[in-house]
Amino acid sequence: MTTTVKAAAPRRTRIQTEKRELILEAALEVFSANGFRGATIDQIAEAAGMSKPNLLYYFHRKEDIHETLIQRLLDTWLAPLRELDDIGDPLTELRSYIRRKLEMARDFPRESRLFANEILQGAPRIMPLIEGELKTLVDDKVAVIKGWMRAGRIMRTDPYHLIFSIWATTQHYADFDVQVRAVLGPDRGSDGRFEDAARFLEQLFIEGLRPKPE
């Protein structure tokens, strides 16, 4: 019997890797500003400083570029939740999670807006990822939080809505950054706004979850 061995994909050269990264960086800017529907290959090529045929050598379709960005985004976005440790102190773990999510809102605002745009369109291109990888991870961490609650280490609440609330309040500082800075004004709208937000959210969530003395 003859066994067919699938040929390995050819390794990319350094220049090919650099070109792909240049395209993805340009696409991130275009997609986060215009959404998937509003973005075009021509816009991405122009932002990358290359011709459209050259871009299409590396990515055949706009969908291919978007899919690559979304997969990278989810890998990065879910990392803080994966680090939630069931053997750690619950309040410390949740405080660290809030901090890491705010750091991501500060450091990756375009990625956050890219994800938000996709969700607002009904997640047509990432629903399998949401229903699969994302849901599995959230279910796992909900089980961790429920264990903390059963042990009396934090107050009882709905762990899914706890996670949703942390997402909403931290990602707000990326998705609505213009509004945040405008309302805070020049005195409070600088980079210090993230530390102010961290202290407030820690007080809001941590104190609300701290077990009450009997």
Side-chain angles (χ1 to χ4, degrees), residues 147-161:
W148 290 338
M149 292 176 185
R150 286 194 299 270
R153 302 178 72 187
I154 59 174
M155 294 290 289
R156 289 187 175 273
T157 188
D158 187 314
Y160 285 101
H161 289 288

Side-chain angles (χ1 to χ4, degrees), residues 160-212:
Y160 285 101
H161 289 288
L162 171 61
I163 292 174
F164 295 159
S165 296
I166 293 174
W167 289 352
T169 51
T170 54
Q171 288 170 215
H172 178 88
Y173 291 91
D175 301 340
F176 293 88
D177 182 57
V178 172
Q179 174 179 275
V180 169
R181 287 187 285 111
V183 172
L184 288 175
D187 294 336
R188 299 193 61 200
S190 62
D191 288 345
R193 67 189 181 279
F194 290 99
E195 180 59 32
D196 292 340
R199 286 195 295 265
F200 170 76
L201 293 177
E202 285 176 6
Q203 180 182 22
L204 177 68
F205 286 108
I206 303 305
E207 294 308 317
L209 291 168
R210 192 182 301 278
K212 302 296 186 292

